[in-house]
Amino acid sequence: MTIEWMLAKYIPDVQRNEPVNVGVVLRYNDETLCKFVGENAAGNIDGRKTGTRFASPEAYKLWVKHWRSAIRNAPSFQKLSESRRGGDNYYLEPGGQFMIGNPEAGPNALLAELFELLVDKDDAAAPDVLQLSERAIRTLPMAKEIQRDSDILVHHAGGEDELRFHYRYDNGRPHLMQRVNLSPDARTWDRVHSMTWSFEKVVAAEDPELKESQCIALVKYSSEESAGLHRQLGQLSRLAQVVNVGDVSSAQAELLVLLEH
């Protein structure tokens, strides 16, 4: 099925015209969901969570309210991005679309992943798996040859699926990498299921160029052990090499060995 998503953007200084992402709107089949910076569990904007990034937190709250109303009433997804006025500090912009075939992941897990990757990257004291993975990869000898967001069409006995991997490196065979923060909660389990489903499709692929593929899971988890975490690691290790990017130097050494073979 086709998934479409948009980014909610805020321009702190119109003269400089340097927008930042403050939310994601996702259309998943006929369902439209959204998530914005500073939302609490009830879906309201909590000013304590927005920090100082907005010149007027109240204006931001009004825009989120406006966006939610527009999302409910827009005749089409595309119409949401057509009402921007030239002087607006806030607007919606098409982000993209891609194919997905995993019924287990669901729209909420995908929305959370898009939000984490594209919006929620402001806690420098606690770098997420995206930042840590980039740190581990960018100093590798083959860093310039590693592709980001690589789409692969996979043929198998049940048909075909278009998969997207966060990283791909070809060295006689494809090395396909996905990243995920591990924690024993339901949202993380959705991501783990989505990741293992992609790896399973690669393992079962009938495409000759994918027969020798190596799958790599780039993970981050705290030192606090739990039964849920062990089960998640067990799921991933069935189909992939698991690299903990929480320790960047060790992750670099592991990746260098894996990608050279």
Side-chain angles (χ1 to χ4, degrees):
M1 66 187 143
T2 302
I3 309 299
E4 294 182 273
W5 50 276
M6 306 182 75
L7 288 168
K9 291 180 174 282
Y10 165 60
I11 304 178
D13 185 335
V14 176
Q15 295 297 320
R16 293 176 63 89
N17 193 29
E18 296 174 345
V20 295
N21 299 336
V22 297
V24 176
V25 182
L26 172 72
R27 190 180 74 171
Y28 190 106
N29 280 350
D30 295 327
E31 186 174 4
T32 302
L33 304 90
C34 50
K35 183 175 176 65
F36 300 101
V37 165
E39 279 188 322
N40 57 26
N44 300 315
I45 301 299
D46 186 339
R48 294 170 298 181
K49 294 184 178 183
T50 61
T52 59
R53 74 180 79 190
F54 300 104
S56 171
E58 291 304 315
Y60 170 62
K61 291 180 183 180
L62 290 174
W63 270 99
V64 170
K65 183 177 180 181
H66 165 73
W67 282 329
R68 288 192 174 279
S69 175
I71 290 164
R72 286 193 301 269
N73 299 311
S76 69
F77 198 69
Q78 184 60 36
K79 287 291 183 183
L80 290 173
S81 65
E82 295 179 356
S83 59
R84 183 190 178 193
R85 299 182 299 272
D88 284 345
N89 292 71
Y90 296 87
Y91 62 97
L92 296 175
E93 180 178 272
Q97 60 176 270
F98 50 89
M99 300 297 293
I100 188 168
N102 181 6
E104 294 186 39
N108 290 309
L110 184 54
L111 179 69
E113 182 174 3
L114 287 170
F115 187 84
E116 179 182 334
L117 295 178
L118 302 174
V119 180
D120 193 21
K121 300 186 292 185
D122 294 297
D123 188 359
D128 64 12
V129 70
L130 169 61
Q131 295 167 305
L132 292 168
S133 296
E134 288 292 334
R135 289 180 194 175
I137 285 172
R138 67 189 176 204
T139 57
L140 293 173
M142 64 285 291
K144 291 183 179 179
E145 284 73 52
I146 295 175
Q147 303 172 44
R148 267 77 171 170
D149 296 326
S150 177
D151 293 323
I152 300 173
L153 187 62
V154 177
H155 298 86
H156 48 81
E160 65 179 31
D161 286 278
E162 186 172 345
L163 308 177
R164 172 166 289 191
F165 289 88
H166 294 134
Y167 305 99
R168 174 176 178 165
Y169 174 66
D170 289 277
N171 182 25
R173 63 169 175 159
H175 302 265
L176 306 171
M177 293 170 268
Q178 297 280 50
R179 54 180 185 254
V180 65
N181 281 306
L182 295 185
S183 63
D185 58 35
R187 190 176 74 174
T188 300
W189 269 112
D190 285 339
R191 295 177 184 169
V192 170
H193 289 151
S194 177
M195 183 183 289
T196 54
W197 180 87
S198 295
F199 290 156
E200 285 171 350
K201 293 301 180 185
V202 171
V203 170
E206 298 175 348
D207 307 83
E209 66 273 19
L210 296 177
K211 287 295 184 183
E212 301 299 321
S213 295
Q214 175 174 238
C215 296
I216 300 173
L218 303 174
V219 305
K220 173 179 174 268
Y221 53 88
S222 66
S223 58
E224 182 179 339
E225 297 183 354
S226 71
L229 180 62
H230 283 301
R231 287 196 297 270
Q232 289 168 358
L233 288 170
Q235 284 268 10
L236 295 172
S237 61
R238 287 189 304 107
L239 300 159
Q241 301 291 330
V242 179
V243 176
N244 183 9
V245 295
D247 183 337
V248 173
S249 59
S250 294
Q252 287 172 327
E254 287 184 61
L255 285 170
L256 186 58
V257 172
L258 292 172
L259 298 181
E260 286 184 337
H261 293 83

